[in-house]
Amino acid sequence: GQSLEQPSEVTAVEGAIVQINCTYQTSGFYGLSWYQQHDGGAPTFLSYNALDGLEETGRFSSFLSRSDSYGYLLLQELQMKDSASYFCAGSDSWGKLQFGAGTQVVVTP
Amino acid sequence: DTAVSQTPKYLVTQMGNDKSIKCEQNLGHDTMYWYKQDSKKFLKIMFSYNNKELIINETVPNRFSPKSPDKAHLNLHINSLELGDSAVYFCASSGGRISSYEQYFGPGTRLTVT
């Protein structure tokens, strides 16, 4: 199985940069995904890293280091609409996605 | 057109009852999933079907029984509902097992057991 750890909450002001770290312990680890979920909404896919390095998608970037069993999601130029929960999730060879407990990002004016 | 849809959106019922949640996806995906999200927002996989075949069956009470009549539909039937079953249940789909990292979620079904 897998276990993933991420901070429970991060607070930042509009325009700032936020980094959400995720450490994992896994067997059969394939890659690390990131999902965003607004209150009352469904999780939506943001990014995926199968290989070491940085993946950039607009204001969001995700990083993976397999040797360190570590990844992060970087949110740049924070906007109020970025206030949400962010989940890291590890995938395995069976197609199972194991989610971390989520990080609540609070953006203040 | 909604990609992954679930019915009902809200379900309030009493302990001991039996209820079903339905899920449909129009993305042409091969793999579908059921997740349970508790009050602390912890999202846990329950089941997964690939082309109507059960491929993931997590440690879930056998009161929960999934059924996939075809690869576009995945239903969840729950017998003898208990208070602890209160949660939001999400259906999701992906292109296949290999692309399980990118899943498309339905809007969720908020189940309240009284």
Side-chain angles (χ1 to χ4, degrees):
Chain A
Q2 301 185 29
S3 69
L4 299 98
E5 293 205 7
Q6 52 183 126
S8 59
E9 186 172 316
V10 172
T11 301
V13 297
E14 267 188 299
I17 298 173
V18 156
Q19 179 172 314
I20 303 170
N21 297 321
C22 175
T23 57
Y24 59 87
Q25 292 182 331
T26 69
S27 57
F29 176 81
Y30 253 32
L32 195 68
S33 299
W34 289 91
Y35 285 78
Q36 178 193 60
Q37 185 180 27
H38 286 100
D39 279 349
T44 56
F45 172 78
L46 290 176
S47 185
Y48 174 66
N49 295 72
L51 304 175
D52 285 1
L54 193 67
E55 292 282 341
E56 296 180 80
T57 314
R59 295 186 296 113
F60 295 175
S61 304
S62 58
F63 172 84
L64 177 66
S65 168
R66 286 177 168 269
S67 59
D68 295 322
S69 296
Y70 162 77
Y72 66 72
L73 179 70
L74 196 69
L75 287 63
Q76 298 177 293
E77 299 169 24
L78 270 180
Q79 301 176 8
M80 295 299 291
K81 68 179 181 180
D82 297 330
S83 290
S85 293
Y86 293 82
F87 296 86
C88 59
S91 54
D92 66 18
S93 57
W94 283 100
K96 186 162 76 175
L97 206 56
Q98 190 90 15
F99 283 81
T103 299
Q104 180 77 39
V105 171
V106 178
V107 182
T108 60
Chain B
D1 245 359
T2 306
V4 182
S5 58
Q6 294 178 229
T7 53
K9 189 163 174 62
Y10 299 96
L11 193 50
V12 181
T13 187
Q14 292 184 323
M15 282 175 59
N17 284 349
D18 303 338
K19 290 293 178 186
S20 291
I21 307 171
K22 295 188 174 184
C23 177
E24 176 181 0
Q25 55 95 2
N26 63 7
L27 297 167
H29 284 167
D30 285 343
T31 311
M32 296 184 73
Y33 312 81
W34 277 113
Y35 288 88
K36 178 181 180 180
Q37 186 169 47
D38 62 24
S39 56
K40 295 184 178 176
K41 293 192 174 179
F42 187 63
L43 199 59
K44 183 168 171 52
I45 189 166
M46 301 171 70
F47 304 102
S48 175
Y49 273 75
N50 186 66
N51 271 323
K52 302 195 297 177
E53 179 190 350
L54 181 66
I55 57 171
I56 295 172
N57 186 354
E58 288 295 278
T59 309
V60 175
N62 57 16
R63 297 182 296 103
F64 291 79
S65 52
K67 195 164 285 186
S68 181
D70 56 61
K71 73 174 193 176
H73 295 85
L74 180 62
N75 304 322
L76 183 66
H77 188 75
I78 316 170
N79 289 327
S80 303
L81 277 155
E82 300 178 356
L83 292 177
D85 298 332
S86 294
V88 180
Y89 292 84
F90 286 101
C91 174
S93 72
S94 70
R97 277 164 57 166
I98 291 177
S99 53
S100 65
Y101 59 87
E102 182 175 358
Q103 295 184 15
Y104 293 78
F105 283 76
T109 295
R110 182 172 293 276
L111 172 65
T112 303
V113 182
T114 62

